[in-house]
Amino acid sequence: MKKSDATGAVSAIKPSEVQAGLSTSAQDLLVGRSPGVVVTTAGGQPEGKANIQIRGGASLSASNEPLIVIDGVPMDTKGTLGSSNPLSLVNPESIESMTILKDASATAIFGSRASNGVIIITTKKGSSGAPTVNFAANMYINTPRNYMDMMSASQFRNFIINEYGEGSSQANALGNTSTDWQKEVLRTTVSSDYNLSVGGTYRALPYRVSVSYTNNNGIVETTKMDRATFGLNLSPKFFNGLLSINANLRGAYINNRFYEESALGSAVSFNPTLPVYAPDGNIFLNYTTYAGTAVAGPDTPGSSINTLKALNPVSLLKEYDSQSKVFQSIGNLQIDGALPWLPELHANLNLGYDISRSNVDNIHNAYSPMSWKNGSDLPYVGDVLVAPDQIGSGKYDIKSTRDGQGRTFHEHQVKANLLLDFYLNYKKEFESIRSNLDVTAGYSWQSFRWQGNSLTRINSGEYNNFQAYPTSYYRNDLALVSFFGRLNYGFMDKYLLTVTVRRDGTSRFSKDHRWGTFPSVALAWRLIDENFMASLRPVLSDLKLRVGYGVTGQQDLGDDFFPYLPVYVIGNNGNLEPNTTSYPNPIPESLRGQYGSDYAFINVLKPNGYNTDIKWEETHTWNVGVDFGFLNNRINGSLDFYKRKTKDLLTFTTVPAGSNLTNALNMNIGDLENTGIEFTVSTRPIVTQDLTWSSDFNIAWNQNKITKLTAGNDPDFFIAAGEGISAGTGGTIQAHKVGHPAYSYYVYQQVYDQDGNPIEGQYVDRNGDGQITEADKYLYHSRDPKVVLTWSNSVNYKNWDFGIVLRANIGNWVYNDFEASNVSKSSTASLPLSNLMANRFIFNDLGVKGAMSDYFVRNASFLRCDNITVGYTWPSLINDALRLRLYGAVQNPFVITKYSGLDPEVFSGVDKNIYPRPITVSLGVVASF
């Protein structure tokens, strides 16, 4: 459909070769390109993980990820084990276009999985004529942009001596070296990307074949991604175009090397006066390690390792090998046919698949500090360790033993996603009544299966390959069935109507709630074509009004596939140790010697909680928009206002004691509203023979608010939410509460002195009862930005090109967990010592209340330069047989912000162990011949 005929909120992105060359993942092409689409990458992780939201989150516990459709195949939001997201399957160089559907009218045809918007990716296809070869090569140099402001070795040494004195135990615990632990775990790397494609027509068969290889080395030691992809497209037509076939096949092999996330936190807090390796050696592979309160020496037993303090951050990376190997393929065969005597009626059949095979191995090397901390699960009879050659005879208990042996966790998964879509489409223009009609009716079936197993075993020593507990097997199935219809009607090409209705069924809900009906309607009026606008057409080249309303459904509860069924699980996963899901059973006297005790513990069947009334979450969306253009569309854009109200929110929340078989489960409870405005404008201020300047700007404002959360009206009710923080026992600091945005910070209100410094232990008694308790907490800001804007400029002068992209988030707040964990003097009051932040207010003893105060919730608004590029193109070399372009770029060169952490862009709102975003310098070449 042409944009001029669209009645819904739709954005189209056509990546340039400049943008494709800068991106190692398809999601990078979305960053800042469309108002209301917020893409937050997971720092600088080489596998390219990201969170994508369109017009704010519509749900609390269900998925907020948009539906991604690649060449007609809808991908599952659950993702693939060992891979970041579906977008990692497609090399950016192979993408022809990306279409973003935002409002209910535009997304309704995709049904239940489109409540969070739709991103349609269309890859490049073959062209007519002789073969065309395209080759692109890029090299990237990645380096850390900044570091946490921690005390250096000399600063920390001076602090300890000034605070505790020369002869104190703290001073005696200082080392005599200077180690910048952050620089020990971060690095500068070189990465590369290569893409080759051949496209053309062989006889009557248009084709395109592409291959690519990406090697992306992360700035955290040992992390990397290697990806090889293959793509094939065939698009023949027969019988004068009455029969069209479009076949797509894509495959990828992805090898990721992950990292131990706690290494980043350890690098911040580890004593900077200690060396990476113990000069006299030790049992911990010579890594400097705490045993009790002292640094381990050559005779220190490994079992005395301090399990409460941070481990050597270098050891956490170098002695931990976490890798995934993923084979994934998607493909589809789309057949579209019409009859010669009725060419207006088309039948379309789309058969598709998405299959993958994943293997993940997390390996802790023997005698590493982490292996000593974890210990090994070994067989015992009473207090006697069973010899390796006796395992398998008799009965034994499993006990954890700190012996330093390594362990391997292995998980294998096969995923299969099958698709069948069939629809009839009738399209005809009725000239006599100046009308055109486009009617579609169809059926969709999609099934998903995730099947796999996991195990943990010892990988070294005399108990090598010993597996204490049985292999865990799982299989999860999901089926979606839909019937849909859509009508597009246009009168005089000025008055446009779209009506859609879809009936969706899911296996996730019971038969009483399995089906949902989701309608939408949209109208558009092309004012520019009215006679009374004739006098404005020399200046005003386009003007169209749009209005729409629709309902979409949501059923995606992640791993909760059968929330309505009373499911039983085997308690304790085969562990013979007693716990709440096993009970003692007397053993006959003749068998007691085999068990080493008079009782064995037998695992029971444990019932899970369930909710027979769980049903579809519904999002009602209203949208009003205007599309405009001036001066023959040298200035063009759109303005949209929307309101989204989600009812019967799928929420994971607590239940009253004794009312179910669990204390929390998924329920339909509450309403959530998102209200926003989006504005985008594209301009070409200068257009001459030699010089062209294009400037694009977009801005979006979104506000969400929870309007209902319980069946009653308890004003104090809230649901704890978000990522855990380091303080205390890892509780959360965010909450959902009526009248406030989702993921607001639930904190104590800090009291300050006249100089603006926090008064330790002093908080506002908000309820006036004379004491500071949980009842004095309040909701303070939220993690999501209120305003997101992007300004991109490109200038072409003859064969030169220059570009710059600036992007800003305004109104996003972040809890600085790093700072809250490293500004308390109490961490140096006893041994071992932990480092402290420099140039920060240092508390004597922050405590849990202090860590949960609004002092650490910071304004993280920012202006980021996404990239600066410069390139030169030779349009016709070797007698017009070769087009060549060279370019250089720098990505993430600067960020302007008041936020004091590593990076202000944190999707979860909790700045804790976030992979740093690097500065990346790129060099590239693109050749076509």
Side-chain angles (χ1 to χ4, degrees), residues 729-789:
T729 56
T732 61
I733 200 165
Q734 294 166 319
H736 303 318
K737 192 174 183 180
V738 171
H740 298 271
Y743 296 98
S744 293
Y745 297 96
Y746 191 52
V747 290
Y748 295 100
Q749 186 175 357
Q750 180 69 56
V751 176
Y752 298 86
D753 62 21
Q754 59 184 5
D755 296 324
N757 294 318
I759 301 176
E760 188 165 343
Q762 296 294 309
Y763 312 100
V764 175
D765 182 11
R766 295 180 64 89
N767 66 356
D769 65 353
Q771 55 185 340
I772 301 300
T773 65
E774 287 274 333
D776 292 303
K777 287 185 177 181
Y778 75 115
L779 278 298
Y780 180 68
H781 296 293
S782 69
R783 70 181 191 182
D784 296 316
K786 305 299 181 294
V787 177
V788 179
L789 57 91

Side-chain angles (χ1 to χ4, degrees), residues 139 249 260 318 345 363 383 401 416 647 690 764 841 873 910:
M139 183 185 75
L249 174 65
E260 170 58 57
K318 292 191 174 181
L345 179 64
I363 302 172
D383 294 326
T401 304
K647 300 180 179 180
D690 293 332
V764 175
F841 182 87
T873 301
V910 178

Side-chain angles (χ1 to χ4, degrees), residues 909-927:
V910 178
D911 191 359
K912 172 186 174 184
N913 294 333
I914 303 298
Y915 198 116
R917 289 180 177 84
I919 294 176
T920 301
V921 177
S922 308
L923 296 173
V925 58
V926 180

Side-chain angles (χ1 to χ4, degrees), residues 392-623:
S393 61
K395 305 294 183 180
Y396 46 80
D397 297 330
I398 298 296
K399 296 183 180 180
S400 181
T401 304
R402 287 211 171 91
D403 59 356
Q405 298 305 323
R407 66 165 61 179
T408 295
F409 170 82
H410 172 79
E411 184 172 3
H412 169 75
Q413 184 193 79
V414 174
K415 183 188 76 171
N417 164 10
L418 302 178
L419 168 74
L420 184 152
D421 278 345
F422 177 77
Y423 65 83
L424 296 173
N425 175 258
Y426 180 79
K427 184 184 297 185
K428 185 172 179 62
E429 187 168 343
F430 300 92
E431 295 183 2
S432 59
I433 56 173
R434 305 179 66 182
S435 298
N436 56 74
L437 184 67
D438 186 338
V439 181
T440 301
Y443 166 82
S444 177
W445 171 87
Q446 195 164 12
S447 74
F448 307 86
R449 174 173 292 178
W450 299 266
Q451 186 170 340
N453 58 77
S454 62
L455 60 90
T456 300
R457 60 178 176 81
I458 296 173
N459 64 27
S460 63
E462 58 180 344
Y463 290 90
N464 187 31
N465 290 324
F466 175 70
Q467 183 179 331
Y469 304 120
T471 300
S472 174
Y473 294 89
Y474 65 89
R475 172 178 152 181
N476 296 308
D477 292 271
L478 174 68
L480 300 174
V481 177
S482 303
F483 300 90
F484 57 88
R486 166 170 281 186
L487 180 147
N488 287 305
Y489 173 73
F491 179 63
M492 301 175 63
D493 289 331
K494 293 187 294 186
Y495 312 107
L496 310 173
L497 168 69
T498 300
V499 178
T500 305
V501 63
R502 184 160 177 140
R503 179 94 169 144
D504 285 322
T506 175
S507 62
R508 206 183 291 264
F509 301 146
S510 71
K511 62 180 182 179
D512 295 329
H513 303 289
R514 184 157 294 160
W515 292 90
T517 302
F518 307 106
S520 74
V521 61
L523 298 166
W525 178 17
R526 289 190 49 79
L527 273 80
I528 191 64
D529 294 329
E530 296 289 357
N531 293 332
F532 59 79
M533 299 291 293
S535 61
L536 297 177
R537 286 177 194 151
V539 176
L540 188 65
S541 48
D542 187 24
L543 184 62
K544 181 176 68 175
L545 299 180
R546 295 176 280 104
V547 60
Y549 166 78
V551 183
T552 53
Q554 170 66 286
Q555 54 80 46
D556 191 347
L557 289 170
D559 289 330
D560 197 355
F561 289 95
F562 301 103
Y564 69 95
L565 284 178
V567 176
Y568 289 79
V569 296
I570 298 177
N572 216 24
N573 194 27
N575 187 356
L576 299 180
E577 288 294 297
N579 72 357
T580 57
T581 57
S582 60
Y583 66 94
N585 183 52
I587 298 173
E589 186 173 349
S590 60
L591 299 177
R592 289 181 183 178
Q594 298 182 32
Y595 287 85
S597 66
D598 293 341
Y599 292 89
F601 288 88
I602 297 177
N603 296 303
V604 300
L605 288 176
K606 175 188 173 185
N608 281 347
Y610 64 98
N611 178 8
T612 58
D613 295 323
I614 197 164
K615 60 182 181 179
W616 289 90
E617 174 183 285
E618 293 187 351
T619 299
H620 299 248
T621 303
W622 295 262
N623 193 93

